[in-house]
Amino acid sequence: MVVLAASIISKSGKALVSRQFVDMSRIRIEALLAAFPKLVGTGKQHTFVETENVRYVYQPVEALYLLLVTNKQSNILEDLETLRLLSKLVPEYSLSLDEEGICETAFELIFAFDEVISLGHKENVTVAQVKQYCEMESHEEKLHKLLMQSKINETKDVMKRKASEIDKSRIEKSIYDKGGFTSLQSMGSGRIENSFSDMSISSGGGGFGSGSGFGLSNGLESSFSKSKGLPPASATAPSKGFGMQLGKSQRANQFLESLKAEGEVILEDVQPSAIQSRSAAPPLIDPITFTVEERLNVTLKRDGGVSNFDVQGTLLLQILNEKDGHIQVQIESGGNLGILFKTHPNINKELFSNDNILGLKNPSRPFPTGQAGAGLLKWRMESVDESVVPLTINCWPSVSGNETYVSIEYEASSMFDLQNVVISVPLPALREAPNVKQNDGEWRYDARNSILEWSILLIDNSNRSGSMEFVVPPADSSVFFPISVQFTAANTYSDLKVVNVLPLNEGPAPRFSQRVQLCTENYQVV
C-alpha cells in the first residue's frame, strides 16, 4: 500500500489540509483534489472512487471530506483502516469540524497524519499513542520550566524584602525626624503589650525590674541599645492633633497590592512597631538583676514516644555597681528530684547544700560587676517520660488521588502557658503556597526554604489542643519531617526563684529584680 496524500477538502474541492507522502508537485495534488468532487456519485461505491491513475478513499465529515489519495495497487482494506484511524484523530484536534476549525488546527492535524503514515505506509499505532507522540513531553523542558519558576519566585521574594526594607527605613527616618517616642506609646500593638505583660518579673525590695523586655529577639535588644542616646519619652512634648504616622506610602501599598493580586501571601510587618515600643522601655534601674533561664533540647518520635529530653538551666547575676557586690543570694526551688544542680567553682558548696544560699568561698571578695551576667548555678534534667514534654505534635499525611492531605495536631501540657509558638513543617518544592483548609492560629509559607510556619501567639487553658489541615501535591510522608518547634514560657521545670539578697556589709539590702524564662534550643519531631 502506498498512500500518496492525506487531505481534508471542502465539498467544492478546496484543499484545507493536505499532507503528501511522496514527491508530488503542488499543481498535481491540487488538480487531483479539485477533480474529486466531480467523481463522487458517478460510481456505485460510496467509500472509494478510481480513475486511470489513482484511487480516492474517502469519508464524509459533516460538510467536508476526509480523503486518501492512493495508487491503484494499494490494499483497499488497509486503506479503509487507515481512513478510519484518521477519522478518529480529526475530532481530537479540531474542536469544530468546519473550514475555520480545520484551518486553525492545520499543523496539529499534519503532525498527527505523520504519526499514522510514514513514507506512504501505515504505522501500527493507536489514537492514544498518536496523541502521546504529538504532545512531545520532555524532561529537559519540564526542568527548564521549574528552574524558570524558581527564579521568578526568588525575584518576588527579593521584591518583597526590598519593599519591607524601604518601609522600615522610612519609619526609622520619621522617628529621628520627629525626635521622640510619645506617639508610639499610643500605637503599641496588642501583641507587643502582651509580650511584656506575659513576662514573669518579680522585684525584691521595691522598684520595677530592669527586665521588662526579657525574651524578645536580639534584634530588639540591639535596636534598644542603639537608641539609648535619644531623649526619653517623658522629655518629649506631646504631639498636637495626631501621633506619628507609621503607615506605608501610597506607592509601597500599590506595589504590595500588585503582589497580592498575583497570589503572593503578604504578611503585615509588625516588627518596626515592636522595635519602637522596645526603644521606649525604661533603662536599667535596679542595681542587681537575676536571670533564670532553661533551654529545652527535645527530640520526639513521629509515631509517639520520646527519643531525647534534656533541660539545661542557668542562674545569672548582673550587678551594676561594685559596692553592691558584697552579697549572698538565697534561693528556693520546686523540689523536682530529677534536677541535678551544679554550682560555680567559686561558690561555697556547703553553704548552698545546707541553707540554699549562694555565696563566694571568700566573703571578702565581691561578685563581678558589668553588663554581662555572671553564672552562679547550673542544673540539668533528663527524662524519657512523655508526660513531662510541654508540647507534642502529631502529623498525619495521606495521599488521595493527585493530592496529599496533611493534618497536624498539637497538644500542650497544663504545666506551662506557652507563648510565641511557631511550628515549622518542611514541604516539597511547590510553585505556590499550600491550600490551608483549617487552621487554629496563623500561618505563613516560606517559599525560599519551602517551609510552612504555623504560629500560635499563646497556648493556655483555653486552647491546650489545636489543629491545622492543608493540601499539597502528591508527596512521600517523610518529606514533612523533621518538624521544628519554637516557644517560650514564663515558668520553668526547676521553679527556681531568688527569695532574698543578703548584704555582707552594713546597710540596707539592695534592690533586685529577676527574669524567668523557659525557651527551646532544639525541639524537633523526627
Side-chain angles (χ1 to χ4, degrees):
M1 179 191 76
V2 177
V3 178
L4 305 180
S7 308
I8 300 177
I9 64 174
S10 64
K11 295 288 187 179
S12 60
K14 176 183 176 182
L16 304 178
V17 175
S18 181
R19 180 70 170 106
Q20 289 70 251
F21 301 100
V22 296
D23 189 12
M24 184 182 300
S25 66
R26 177 176 177 178
I27 296 176
R28 170 66 174 160
I29 188 61
E30 286 182 346
L32 289 174
L33 297 178
F36 170 72
K38 302 175 183 177
L39 301 174
V40 175
T42 58
K44 296 181 180 180
Q45 296 291 339
H46 296 285
T47 56
F48 72 94
V49 176
E50 289 186 355
T51 65
E52 295 180 0
N53 300 318
V54 297
R55 177 187 296 141
Y56 298 97
V57 183
Y58 66 94
Q59 178 177 330
V61 181
E62 295 189 2
L64 308 175
Y65 283 116
L66 176 60
L67 179 65
L68 291 181
V69 181
T70 69
N71 57 16
K72 297 182 68 174
Q73 290 76 30
S74 66
N75 188 325
I76 185 64
L77 296 179
E78 291 185 5
D79 292 343
L80 291 174
E81 183 64 27
T82 303
L83 184 67
R84 188 177 299 109
L85 179 58
L86 293 181
S87 66
K88 294 178 181 179
L89 283 173
V90 171
E92 293 287 340
Y93 291 95
S94 181
L95 298 179
S96 59
L97 298 178
D98 52 17
E99 292 189 16
E100 183 178 358
I102 296 298
C103 292
E104 287 179 355
T105 57
F107 286 102
E108 287 80 1
L109 292 171
I110 289 176
F111 294 148
F113 289 174
D114 281 345
E115 297 296 335
V116 176
I117 303 172
S118 176
L119 299 176
H121 299 276
K122 179 182 179 297
E123 296 287 343
N124 187 20
V125 293
T126 63
V127 174
Q129 289 176 327
V130 172
K131 291 182 67 177
Q132 182 180 0
Y133 298 156
C134 290
E135 285 176 359
M136 296 184 295
E137 289 191 1
S138 169
H139 176 71
E140 289 77 8
E141 181 184 7
K142 289 182 178 180
L143 182 61
H144 175 71
K145 289 181 178 180
L146 289 175
L147 290 175
M148 290 298 296
Q149 187 62 41
S150 176
K151 291 180 179 180
I152 293 173
N153 293 337
E154 289 181 2
T155 304
K156 289 182 178 180
D157 291 339
V158 172
M159 292 166 63
K160 288 186 285 186
R161 288 199 304 272
K162 291 294 184 183
S164 178
E165 291 174 2
I166 292 172
D167 293 336
K168 290 180 180 179
S169 63
R170 287 175 178 170
I171 291 170
E172 292 175 359
K173 184 176 182 299
S174 64
I175 293 174
Y176 287 103
D177 289 345
K178 298 288 183 180
F181 300 97
T182 301
S183 59
L184 292 177
Q185 297 174 355
S186 63
M187 298 180 63
S189 65
R191 178 176 296 185
I192 300 301
E193 292 173 1
N194 289 337
S195 66
F196 283 109
S197 63
D198 290 339
M199 294 301 163
S200 176
I201 303 170
S202 60
S203 179
F208 179 72
S210 60
S212 60
F214 183 77
L216 295 179
S217 65
N218 293 332
L220 302 184
E221 293 287 350
S222 60
S223 174
F224 171 63
S225 61
K226 292 178 182 177
S227 62
K228 283 182 178 179
L230 295 177
S234 60
T236 306
S239 57
K240 297 181 179 180
F242 55 88
M244 184 184 300
Q245 297 184 3
L246 301 181
K248 297 180 176 67
S249 66
Q250 182 179 1
R251 185 174 182 181
N253 278 330
Q254 292 176 352
F255 176 71
L256 293 178
E257 289 297 332
S258 64
L259 289 178
K260 290 180 181 179
E262 294 179 7
E264 293 295 324
V265 178
I266 306 297
L267 293 180
E268 295 298 331
D269 192 358
V270 299
Q271 292 297 327
S273 298
I275 293 173
Q276 295 150 15
S277 299
R278 181 70 181 100
S279 301
L284 297 175
I285 59 175
D286 287 320
I288 299 176
T289 301
F290 296 95
T291 300
V292 178
E293 183 180 43
E294 288 184 351
R295 294 185 174 273
L296 278 172
N297 289 277
V298 179
T299 303
L300 304 176
K301 301 176 183 178
R302 68 182 72 176
D303 298 326
V306 180
S307 178
N308 176 57
F309 180 87
D310 181 46
V311 180
Q312 297 183 6
T314 56
L315 172 62
L316 301 178
L317 168 63
Q318 182 179 353
I319 301 176
L320 296 182
N321 302 317
E322 187 175 355
K323 64 182 180 64
D324 298 320
H326 294 276
I327 59 171
Q328 290 181 338
V329 181
Q330 186 174 7
I331 65 171
E332 67 176 18
S333 61
N336 191 331
L337 300 178
I339 294 180
L340 301 176
F341 290 96
K342 186 176 182 180
T343 59
H344 191 276
N346 292 334
I347 296 296
N348 189 331
K349 293 181 174 58
E350 184 178 354
L351 183 63
F352 172 71
S353 300
N354 296 332
D355 303 323
N356 279 344
I357 293 178
L358 296 170
L360 294 175
K361 292 179 180 179
N362 185 358
S364 62
R365 291 179 54 190
F367 281 104
T369 60
Q371 293 293 329
L376 301 182
L377 187 65
K378 291 184 178 180
W379 60 93
R380 188 169 186 174
M381 173 184 171
E382 294 181 339
S383 177
V384 292
D385 185 3
E386 195 170 1
S387 63
V388 301
V389 176
L391 186 69
T392 58
I393 307 294
N394 294 318
C395 181
W396 299 87
S398 59
V399 179
S400 177
N402 294 326
E403 295 179 326
T404 299
Y405 289 81
V406 182
S407 298
I408 301 180
E409 181 184 21
Y410 75 81
E411 292 186 8
S413 170
S414 59
M415 295 186 296
F416 303 102
D417 290 345
L418 306 182
Q419 306 160 10
N420 303 321
V421 181
V422 179
I423 302 172
S424 302
V425 183
L427 301 180
L430 303 177
R431 296 185 178 180
E432 56 186 13
N435 182 14
V436 177
K437 299 286 188 181
Q438 188 267 336
N439 174 35
D440 294 335
E442 298 178 355
W443 66 277
R444 184 181 77 89
Y445 175 58
D446 182 357
R448 176 176 294 274
N449 298 314
S450 192
I451 291 176
L452 179 64
E453 294 183 351
W454 179 18
S455 303
I456 305 98
L457 188 61
L458 175 65
I459 296 179
D460 55 14
N461 291 330
S462 64
N463 58 342
R464 290 295 177 192
S465 63
S467 61
M468 165 188 268
E469 183 179 359
F470 60 89
V471 181
V472 295
D476 187 75
S477 60
S478 61
V479 173
F480 305 100
F481 296 91
I483 300 173
S484 299
V485 183
Q486 295 177 343
F487 59 81
T488 60
N491 52 334
T492 60
Y493 281 93
S494 64
D495 201 20
L496 187 141
K497 294 186 177 101
V498 176
V499 295
N500 198 8
V501 173
L502 309 174
L504 298 180
N505 297 334
E506 295 182 358
R511 293 181 304 169
F512 70 96
S513 63
Q514 59 182 316
R515 310 166 178 174
V516 181
Q517 186 187 42
L518 172 71
C519 62
T520 58
E521 187 172 50
N522 185 20
Y523 200 111
Q524 289 187 334
V525 181
V526 298

